[in-house]
Amino acid sequence: MENKPYVIGLDLGGTNSVFGIVDREARIVERVSVPTPGHDTAELYVKDCVSKLLPLVDRVGGLSCIQGMGIGAPNANFYTGEILYAPNLPWKGRVPLAKLFETALGVPVVMTNDANAAALGEMAYGAAKGMKNFIEITLGTGVGSGIVINGEMVYGCDGFAGELGHTTIVPGGRECGCGRKGCLEAYCSGPGVARTALELMAERRMDSPLRNITPSSLMSKDVSIAASEGDVLAQEVLRITGRRLGEACANFMNFCSMEAFIFFGGPVKAGEALMAPLREAFEESVLPIYKGKAKILVSQLKDSDAAILGAAALAL
Amino acid sequence: MENKPYVIGLDLGGTNSVFGIVDREARIVERVSVPTPGHDTAELYVKDCVSKLLPLVDRVGGLSCIQGMGIGAPNANFYTGEILYAPNLPWKGRVPLAKLFETALGVPVVMTNDANAAALGEMAYGAAKGMKNFIEITLGTGVGSGIVINGEMVYGCDGFAGELGHTTIVPGGRECGCGRKGCLEAYCSGPGVARTALELMAERRMDSPLRNITPSSLMSKDVSIAASEGDVLAQEVLRITGRRLGEACANFMNFCSMEAFIFFGGPVKAGEALMAPLREAFEESVLPIYKGKAKILVSQLKDSDAAILGAAALAL
């Protein structure tokens, strides 16, 4: 296949669809955002997107300069190119989005979920360059994961591999959005961090600025800020969260003896307050033969670019 | 590479080293057993083995008819061809066993651990024929696992992937031989089954023939036999063991959305008393998107042949 100079990356979120045209040096040379809701059908959404995108494509030399397009989207299936029953997207049922864009643009289009896209972006442009065995763990509304083994993205038998956020870490523990109990996501997603803060406010008597935030609006960002300003309760929340992540990764290590675990997303901005206990618990918990072997890293992708670069990497 | 008609498989155990010459139809046409201990050095062990093996090789047409040799051994590293610090083998430190056999025989020799060999055997000759994503779980003195993803054996960055037996299933739980606590192996290996029997004898008051066996000699086989003869306590032990395995596999499913989990080894002989609760707990515990997708199977490799066939499959 001829190597053309650009790929298109689409970061498809519940609010916005952000398109970027990416060159071989991982520079996003053009960028445009389209609101995701507000179109009656997926067909009309694609039509609207393409009309906004084509002027940008023309500026880099037209569609003949585009190698392909990658889409990172929630509940996306790599094998079928469909989005399936995504709770936060406007379309219901199964939407063959890759096919719709492929028909409209005339370039190959591939799609995968956000966490897989982040892992591909990390491997092409970020902290995982040259690695063949690593897991990208995305902390946000949920806990996602993209797994690379033997240099290949792991999709599993149905395209839905990598739901490490729904690994049970506390049997019979906290309710999770998936309907089960004790999932990693219920403890270490953004909302999970806030739940740990509430739990600790109940257990401990110490003062904390977090006690002045209504629980319904308490976010992991508030915890990070309070911790950085010296609040001991918030620091303890991050320590507990980090240790839980470290223990979970120690278990994942059994699976594929990873070179690295790479963390991405809002809660990671807490920095060493989260990462130091994470590393510590990982090394304490991991099987002796794996000790000292895996790197615990923070993503090197810029937040605003990561999803686009990940989607773009998919098209390479 | 020219396809020669035979491969040699070596099942290297703490007591015996069993060699088989295997044809293209998975028939073991020649077989010989050499005691593993009793040689001063690994070099003398290899020399003894080769002297016993060569007459068999001559009967199938000589070394020119041998494609290669595969070794399944505890603590074997696929990448380096070494056995490392195996507690149940007579040699200490690192033993470059693949190299020693390769020099002595003049055919290519590859080595991996027993569970990986079983997975390869299952894929070449057994229940995993045609599968690209599955886990072979071997229940015995320990709990081993061989993982195949995208049609390839998973060795990890260091050759030591697949230690699923040391995944923590009960935080702070039973002591495990690895020095940690709550590992799957401490509950679902052969000795783990016996420990559950002791636990249940302490908790319950019901009568059981297991109460007449000294704890130091109680084995999972005794539990299977008692269960098959209608002992309710033994049946409950198998039910608990099966459910724990099912819950663990539901967690492993998150990793790679497997086509199948295939069970091998002594405790599996308990049959549906173990496998039915295993399947039930798996389907109850697995994330909704994975429900009904994975097969829970029993190995189709004959116990006495499995390790040799697995090692042989490695050489293919």
Side-chain angles (χ1 to χ4, degrees), chain B residues 88-116:
Chain B
N88 303 319
L89 295 183
W91 319 296
K92 300 303 156 219
R94 308 164 75 98
V95 183
L97 206 66
K99 196 82 216 158
L100 290 175
F101 272 107
E102 200 164 286
T103 307
L105 288 171
V107 301
V109 179
V110 272
M111 183 160 72
T112 191
N113 73 40
D114 345 35
N116 287 346

PDB file of all heavy atoms in Angstrom, chain B residues 88-116:
ATOM      1  N   ASN B  88      11.705 -28.396  42.365  1.00  0.00           N
ATOM      2  CA  ASN B  88      11.519 -29.851  42.366  1.00  0.00           C
ATOM      3  C   ASN B  88      12.455 -30.594  41.425  1.00  0.00           C
ATOM      4  O   ASN B  88      12.275 -31.774  41.169  1.00  0.00           O
ATOM      5  CB  ASN B  88      10.073 -30.197  42.021  1.00  0.00           C
ATOM      6  CG  ASN B  88       9.106 -29.543  42.988  1.00  0.00           C
ATOM      7  OD1 ASN B  88       9.355 -29.505  44.192  1.00  0.00           O
ATOM      8  ND2 ASN B  88       8.023 -28.998  42.460  1.00  0.00           N
ATOM      9  N   LEU B  89      13.454 -29.908  40.889  1.00  0.00           N
ATOM     10  CA  LEU B  89      14.397 -30.579  39.997  1.00  0.00           C
ATOM     11  C   LEU B  89      15.769 -30.633  40.671  1.00  0.00           C
ATOM     12  O   LEU B  89      16.081 -29.809  41.524  1.00  0.00           O
ATOM     13  CB  LEU B  89      14.488 -29.836  38.660  1.00  0.00           C
ATOM     14  CG  LEU B  89      13.196 -29.844  37.825  1.00  0.00           C
ATOM     15  CD1 LEU B  89      13.425 -29.141  36.500  1.00  0.00           C
ATOM     16  CD2 LEU B  89      12.696 -31.258  37.585  1.00  0.00           C
ATOM     17  N   PRO B  90      16.601 -31.619  40.273  1.00  0.00           N
ATOM     18  CA  PRO B  90      17.863 -31.817  41.000  1.00  0.00           C
ATOM     19  C   PRO B  90      18.913 -30.738  40.758  1.00  0.00           C
ATOM     20  O   PRO B  90      19.872 -30.641  41.520  1.00  0.00           O
ATOM     21  CB  PRO B  90      18.352 -33.181  40.496  1.00  0.00           C
ATOM     22  CG  PRO B  90      17.614 -33.441  39.228  1.00  0.00           C
ATOM     23  CD  PRO B  90      16.330 -32.679  39.301  1.00  0.00           C
ATOM     24  N   TRP B  91      18.765 -29.914  39.675  1.00  0.00           N
ATOM     25  CA  TRP B  91      19.823 -28.952  39.358  1.00  0.00           C
ATOM     26  C   TRP B  91      19.527 -27.603  39.954  1.00  0.00           C
ATOM     27  O   TRP B  91      18.390 -27.171  39.964  1.00  0.00           O
ATOM     28  CB  TRP B  91      19.981 -28.843  37.850  1.00  0.00           C
ATOM     29  CG  TRP B  91      19.887 -30.174  37.207  1.00  0.00           C
ATOM     30  CD1 TRP B  91      20.740 -31.217  37.381  1.00  0.00           C
ATOM     31  CD2 TRP B  91      18.847 -30.630  36.355  1.00  0.00           C
ATOM     32  NE1 TRP B  91      20.309 -32.307  36.677  1.00  0.00           N
ATOM     33  CE2 TRP B  91      19.150 -31.969  36.023  1.00  0.00           C
ATOM     34  CE3 TRP B  91      17.710 -30.050  35.807  1.00  0.00           C
ATOM     35  CZ2 TRP B  91      18.337 -32.725  35.189  1.00  0.00           C
ATOM     36  CZ3 TRP B  91      16.907 -30.793  34.981  1.00  0.00           C
ATOM     37  CH2 TRP B  91      17.218 -32.119  34.676  1.00  0.00           C
ATOM     38  N   LYS B  92      20.548 -26.918  40.391  1.00  0.00           N
ATOM     39  CA  LYS B  92      20.369 -25.603  41.017  1.00  0.00           C
ATOM     40  C   LYS B  92      20.681 -24.491  40.008  1.00  0.00           C
ATOM     41  O   LYS B  92      21.375 -24.707  39.027  1.00  0.00           O
ATOM     42  CB  LYS B  92      21.261 -25.463  42.255  1.00  0.00           C
ATOM     43  CG  LYS B  92      20.954 -26.510  43.337  1.00  0.00           C
ATOM     44  CD  LYS B  92      19.474 -26.461  43.770  1.00  0.00           C
ATOM     45  CE  LYS B  92      18.972 -27.786  44.369  1.00  0.00           C
ATOM     46  NZ  LYS B  92      17.579 -28.099  43.954  1.00  0.00           N
ATOM     47  N   GLY B  93      20.162 -23.308  40.266  1.00  0.00           N
ATOM     48  CA  GLY B  93      20.478 -22.146  39.424  1.00  0.00           C
ATOM     49  C   GLY B  93      19.869 -22.256  38.040  1.00  0.00           C
ATOM     50  O   GLY B  93      18.783 -22.783  37.865  1.00  0.00           O
ATOM     51  N   ARG B  94      20.626 -21.764  37.041  1.00  0.00           N
ATOM     52  CA  ARG B  94      20.131 -21.732  35.666  1.00  0.00           C
ATOM     53  C   ARG B  94      20.741 -22.868  34.867  1.00  0.00           C
ATOM     54  O   ARG B  94      21.960 -22.998  34.796  1.00  0.00           O
ATOM     55  CB  ARG B  94      20.520 -20.406  35.001  1.00  0.00           C
ATOM     56  CG  ARG B  94      20.141 -19.168  35.792  1.00  0.00           C
ATOM     57  CD  ARG B  94      20.878 -17.932  35.290  1.00  0.00           C
ATOM     58  NE  ARG B  94      20.326 -17.464  34.032  1.00  0.00           N
ATOM     59  CZ  ARG B  94      19.446 -16.473  33.948  1.00  0.00           C
ATOM     60  NH1 ARG B  94      19.045 -15.843  35.032  1.00  0.00           N
ATOM     61  NH2 ARG B  94      18.976 -16.104  32.780  1.00  0.00           N
ATOM     62  N   VAL B  95      19.895 -23.681  34.245  1.00  0.00           N
ATOM     63  CA  VAL B  95      20.384 -24.820  33.472  1.00  0.00           C
ATOM     64  C   VAL B  95      19.997 -24.654  32.002  1.00  0.00           C
ATOM     65  O   VAL B  95      18.816 -24.650  31.668  1.00  0.00           O
ATOM     66  CB  VAL B  95      19.777 -26.138  34.016  1.00  0.00           C
ATOM     67  CG1 VAL B  95      20.334 -27.328  33.256  1.00  0.00           C
ATOM     68  CG2 VAL B  95      20.033 -26.269  35.508  1.00  0.00           C
ATOM     69  N   PRO B  96      20.967 -24.528  31.104  1.00  0.00           N
ATOM     70  CA  PRO B  96      20.664 -24.301  29.676  1.00  0.00           C
ATOM     71  C   PRO B  96      20.294 -25.603  28.972  1.00  0.00           C
ATOM     72  O   PRO B  96      20.990 -26.057  28.059  1.00  0.00           O
ATOM     73  CB  PRO B  96      21.974 -23.725  29.142  1.00  0.00           C
ATOM     74  CG  PRO B  96      23.021 -24.368  29.986  1.00  0.00           C
ATOM     75  CD  PRO B  96      22.413 -24.597  31.350  1.00  0.00           C
ATOM     76  N   LEU B  97      19.181 -26.205  29.395  1.00  0.00           N
ATOM     77  CA  LEU B  97      18.849 -27.565  28.980  1.00  0.00           C
ATOM     78  C   LEU B  97      18.584 -27.681  27.478  1.00  0.00           C
ATOM     79  O   LEU B  97      18.963 -28.684  26.851  1.00  0.00           O
ATOM     80  CB  LEU B  97      17.640 -28.062  29.774  1.00  0.00           C
ATOM     81  CG  LEU B  97      17.564 -29.571  29.918  1.00  0.00           C
ATOM     82  CD1 LEU B  97      18.713 -30.097  30.764  1.00  0.00           C
ATOM     83  CD2 LEU B  97      16.242 -29.980  30.536  1.00  0.00           C
ATOM     84  N   ALA B  98      17.911 -26.673  26.888  1.00  0.00           N
ATOM     85  CA  ALA B  98      17.624 -26.747  25.451  1.00  0.00           C
ATOM     86  C   ALA B  98      18.921 -26.845  24.658  1.00  0.00           C
ATOM     87  O   ALA B  98      19.065 -27.677  23.761  1.00  0.00           O
ATOM     88  CB  ALA B  98      16.806 -25.532  25.021  1.00  0.00           C
ATOM     89  N   LYS B  99      19.870 -26.004  25.021  1.00  0.00           N
ATOM     90  CA  LYS B  99      21.182 -25.994  24.350  1.00  0.00           C
ATOM     91  C   LYS B  99      21.897 -27.346  24.508  1.00  0.00           C
ATOM     92  O   LYS B  99      22.487 -27.868  23.550  1.00  0.00           O
ATOM     93  CB  LYS B  99      22.034 -24.868  24.971  1.00  0.00           C
ATOM     94  CG  LYS B  99      23.238 -24.469  24.164  1.00  0.00           C
ATOM     95  CD  LYS B  99      22.896 -23.499  23.051  1.00  0.00           C
ATOM     96  CE  LYS B  99      23.723 -23.744  21.808  1.00  0.00           C
ATOM     97  NZ  LYS B  99      23.074 -23.197  20.607  1.00  0.00           N
ATOM     98  N   LEU B 100      21.855 -27.908  25.725  1.00  0.00           N
ATOM     99  CA  LEU B 100      22.543 -29.182  25.976  1.00  0.00           C
ATOM    100  C   LEU B 100      21.986 -30.293  25.087  1.00  0.00           C
ATOM    101  O   LEU B 100      22.732 -31.070  24.494  1.00  0.00           O
ATOM    102  CB  LEU B 100      22.421 -29.572  27.456  1.00  0.00           C
ATOM    103  CG  LEU B 100      23.202 -28.710  28.457  1.00  0.00           C
ATOM    104  CD1 LEU B 100      22.893 -29.146  29.894  1.00  0.00           C
ATOM    105  CD2 LEU B 100      24.714 -28.794  28.183  1.00  0.00           C
ATOM    106  N   PHE B 101      20.640 -30.367  24.970  1.00  0.00           N
ATOM    107  CA  PHE B 101      20.038 -31.405  24.117  1.00  0.00           C
ATOM    108  C   PHE B 101      20.310 -31.113  22.635  1.00  0.00           C
ATOM    109  O   PHE B 101      20.519 -32.026  21.851  1.00  0.00           O
ATOM    110  CB  PHE B 101      18.527 -31.505  24.374  1.00  0.00           C
ATOM    111  CG  PHE B 101      18.175 -32.447  25.487  1.00  0.00           C
ATOM    112  CD1 PHE B 101      17.741 -31.980  26.718  1.00  0.00           C
ATOM    113  CD2 PHE B 101      18.286 -33.828  25.296  1.00  0.00           C
ATOM    114  CE1 PHE B 101      17.425 -32.860  27.751  1.00  0.00           C
ATOM    115  CE2 PHE B 101      17.964 -34.720  26.317  1.00  0.00           C
ATOM    116  CZ  PHE B 101      17.536 -34.232  27.548  1.00  0.00           C
ATOM    117  N   GLU B 102      20.299 -29.821  22.285  1.00  0.00           N
ATOM    118  CA  GLU B 102      20.522 -29.458  20.894  1.00  0.00           C
ATOM    119  C   GLU B 102      21.927 -29.879  20.450  1.00  0.00           C
ATOM    120  O   GLU B 102      22.112 -30.444  19.377  1.00  0.00           O
ATOM    121  CB  GLU B 102      20.349 -27.935  20.757  1.00  0.00           C
ATOM    122  CG  GLU B 102      20.082 -27.481  19.339  1.00  0.00           C
ATOM    123  CD  GLU B 102      19.530 -26.050  19.311  1.00  0.00           C
ATOM    124  OE1 GLU B 102      18.351 -25.858  19.664  1.00  0.00           O
ATOM    125  OE2 GLU B 102      20.286 -25.145  18.948  1.00  0.00           O
ATOM    126  N   THR B 103      22.902 -29.638  21.309  1.00  0.00           N
ATOM    127  CA  THR B 103      24.279 -30.030  21.001  1.00  0.00           C
ATOM    128  C   THR B 103      24.409 -31.551  20.897  1.00  0.00           C
ATOM    129  O   THR B 103      25.050 -32.082  19.992  1.00  0.00           O
ATOM    130  CB  THR B 103      25.234 -29.500  22.096  1.00  0.00           C
ATOM    131  OG1 THR B 103      25.004 -28.101  22.237  1.00  0.00           O
ATOM    132  CG2 THR B 103      26.679 -29.743  21.759  1.00  0.00           C
ATOM    133  N   ALA B 104      23.754 -32.247  21.849  1.00  0.00           N
ATOM    134  CA  ALA B 104      23.881 -33.708  21.893  1.00  0.00           C
ATOM    135  C   ALA B 104      23.176 -34.384  20.723  1.00  0.00           C
ATOM    136  O   ALA B 104      23.653 -35.401  20.212  1.00  0.00           O
ATOM    137  CB  ALA B 104      23.325 -34.232  23.215  1.00  0.00           C
ATOM    138  N   LEU B 105      22.038 -33.810  20.283  1.00  0.00           N
ATOM    139  CA  LEU B 105      21.235 -34.482  19.259  1.00  0.00           C
ATOM    140  C   LEU B 105      21.431 -33.909  17.860  1.00  0.00           C
ATOM    141  O   LEU B 105      21.174 -34.583  16.857  1.00  0.00           O
ATOM    142  CB  LEU B 105      19.745 -34.389  19.618  1.00  0.00           C
ATOM    143  CG  LEU B 105      19.259 -35.238  20.793  1.00  0.00           C
ATOM    144  CD1 LEU B 105      17.818 -34.859  21.151  1.00  0.00           C
ATOM    145  CD2 LEU B 105      19.346 -36.727  20.456  1.00  0.00           C
ATOM    146  N   GLY B 106      21.803 -32.626  17.796  1.00  0.00           N
ATOM    147  CA  GLY B 106      21.934 -31.995  16.486  1.00  0.00           C
ATOM    148  C   GLY B 106      20.612 -31.660  15.820  1.00  0.00           C
ATOM    149  O   GLY B 106      20.541 -31.517  14.604  1.00  0.00           O
ATOM    150  N   VAL B 107      19.531 -31.542  16.599  1.00  0.00           N
ATOM    151  CA  VAL B 107      18.247 -31.058  16.057  1.00  0.00           C
ATOM    152  C   VAL B 107      17.826 -29.833  16.876  1.00  0.00           C
ATOM    153  O   VAL B 107      18.270 -29.678  18.013  1.00  0.00           O
ATOM    154  CB  VAL B 107      17.131 -32.142  16.114  1.00  0.00           C
ATOM    155  CG1 VAL B 107      17.536 -33.379  15.334  1.00  0.00           C
ATOM    156  CG2 VAL B 107      16.761 -32.495  17.558  1.00  0.00           C
ATOM    157  N   PRO B 108      16.965 -28.962  16.327  1.00  0.00           N
ATOM    158  CA  PRO B 108      16.529 -27.784  17.094  1.00  0.00           C
ATOM    159  C   PRO B 108      15.711 -28.202  18.312  1.00  0.00           C
ATOM    160  O   PRO B 108      14.877 -29.099  18.221  1.00  0.00           O
ATOM    161  CB  PRO B 108      15.639 -27.010  16.112  1.00  0.00           C
ATOM    162  CG  PRO B 108      15.829 -27.630  14.774  1.00  0.00           C
ATOM    163  CD  PRO B 108      16.349 -29.008  14.991  1.00  0.00           C
ATOM    164  N   VAL B 109      15.989 -27.568  19.452  1.00  0.00           N
ATOM    165  CA  VAL B 109      15.277 -27.896  20.689  1.00  0.00           C
ATOM    166  C   VAL B 109      14.678 -26.619  21.278  1.00  0.00           C
ATOM    167  O   VAL B 109      15.375 -25.617  21.427  1.00  0.00           O
ATOM    168  CB  VAL B 109      16.220 -28.551  21.721  1.00  0.00           C
ATOM    169  CG1 VAL B 109      15.470 -28.855  23.013  1.00  0.00           C
ATOM    170  CG2 VAL B 109      16.854 -29.824  21.159  1.00  0.00           C
ATOM    171  N   VAL B 110      13.395 -26.651  21.569  1.00  0.00           N
ATOM    172  CA  VAL B 110      12.746 -25.522  22.249  1.00  0.00           C
ATOM    173  C   VAL B 110      12.100 -26.023  23.533  1.00  0.00           C
ATOM    174  O   VAL B 110      11.714 -27.190  23.650  1.00  0.00           O
ATOM    175  CB  VAL B 110      11.668 -24.831  21.380  1.00  0.00           C
ATOM    176  CG1 VAL B 110      12.277 -23.751  20.519  1.00  0.00           C
ATOM    177  CG2 VAL B 110      10.902 -25.836  20.545  1.00  0.00           C
ATOM    178  N   MET B 111      11.971 -25.116  24.501  1.00  0.00           N
ATOM    179  CA  MET B 111      11.496 -25.519  25.817  1.00  0.00           C
ATOM    180  C   MET B 111      10.513 -24.484  26.333  1.00  0.00           C
ATOM    181  O   MET B 111      10.660 -23.289  26.100  1.00  0.00           O
ATOM    182  CB  MET B 111      12.701 -25.612  26.750  1.00  0.00           C
ATOM    183  CG  MET B 111      12.374 -26.090  28.143  1.00  0.00           C
ATOM    184  SD  MET B 111      13.836 -26.713  29.002  1.00  0.00           S
ATOM    185  CE  MET B 111      14.712 -25.210  29.320  1.00  0.00           C
ATOM    186  N   THR B 112       9.489 -24.949  27.041  1.00  0.00           N
ATOM    187  CA  THR B 112       8.609 -24.011  27.733  1.00  0.00           C
ATOM    188  C   THR B 112       8.072 -24.704  28.988  1.00  0.00           C
ATOM    189  O   THR B 112       8.392 -25.854  29.239  1.00  0.00           O
ATOM    190  CB  THR B 112       7.472 -23.511  26.818  1.00  0.00           C
ATOM    191  OG1 THR B 112       6.797 -22.426  27.447  1.00  0.00           O
ATOM    192  CG2 THR B 112       6.459 -24.614  26.532  1.00  0.00           C
ATOM    193  N   ASN B 113       7.278 -23.957  29.773  1.00  0.00           N
ATOM    194  CA  ASN B 113       6.807 -24.615  30.988  1.00  0.00           C
ATOM    195  C   ASN B 113       5.645 -25.559  30.703  1.00  0.00           C
ATOM    196  O   ASN B 113       5.065 -25.551  29.618  1.00  0.00           O
ATOM    197  CB  ASN B 113       6.480 -23.595  32.092  1.00  0.00           C
ATOM    198  CG  ASN B 113       5.200 -22.831  31.822  1.00  0.00           C
ATOM    199  OD1 ASN B 113       4.214 -23.383  31.359  1.00  0.00           O
ATOM    200  ND2 ASN B 113       5.217 -21.546  32.115  1.00  0.00           N
ATOM    201  N   ASP B 114       5.308 -26.399  31.670  1.00  0.00           N
ATOM    202  CA  ASP B 114       4.335 -27.471  31.479  1.00  0.00           C
ATOM    203  C   ASP B 114       2.983 -26.960  31.007  1.00  0.00           C
ATOM    204  O   ASP B 114       2.353 -27.552  30.130  1.00  0.00           O
ATOM    205  CB  ASP B 114       4.112 -28.282  32.765  1.00  0.00           C
ATOM    206  CG  ASP B 114       5.173 -28.067  33.824  1.00  0.00           C
ATOM    207  OD1 ASP B 114       5.694 -26.944  33.952  1.00  0.00           O
ATOM    208  OD2 ASP B 114       5.454 -29.029  34.554  1.00  0.00           O
ATOM    209  N   ALA B 115       2.524 -25.854  31.608  1.00  0.00           N
ATOM    210  CA  ALA B 115       1.185 -25.369  31.270  1.00  0.00           C
ATOM    211  C   ALA B 115       1.148 -24.829  29.845  1.00  0.00           C
ATOM    212  O   ALA B 115       0.183 -25.061  29.112  1.00  0.00           O
ATOM    213  CB  ALA B 115       0.748 -24.292  32.262  1.00  0.00           C
ATOM    214  N   ASN B 116       2.204 -24.126  29.434  1.00  0.00           N
ATOM    215  CA  ASN B 116       2.264 -23.657  28.053  1.00  0.00           C
ATOM    216  C   ASN B 116       2.296 -24.839  27.084  1.00  0.00           C
ATOM    217  O   ASN B 116       1.655 -24.811  26.038  1.00  0.00           O
ATOM    218  CB  ASN B 116       3.508 -22.790  27.831  1.00  0.00           C
ATOM    219  CG  ASN B 116       3.386 -21.422  28.480  1.00  0.00           C
ATOM    220  OD1 ASN B 116       2.303 -21.011  28.874  1.00  0.00           O
ATOM    221  ND2 ASN B 116       4.507 -20.726  28.595  1.00  0.00           N
TER     222      ASN B 116
END
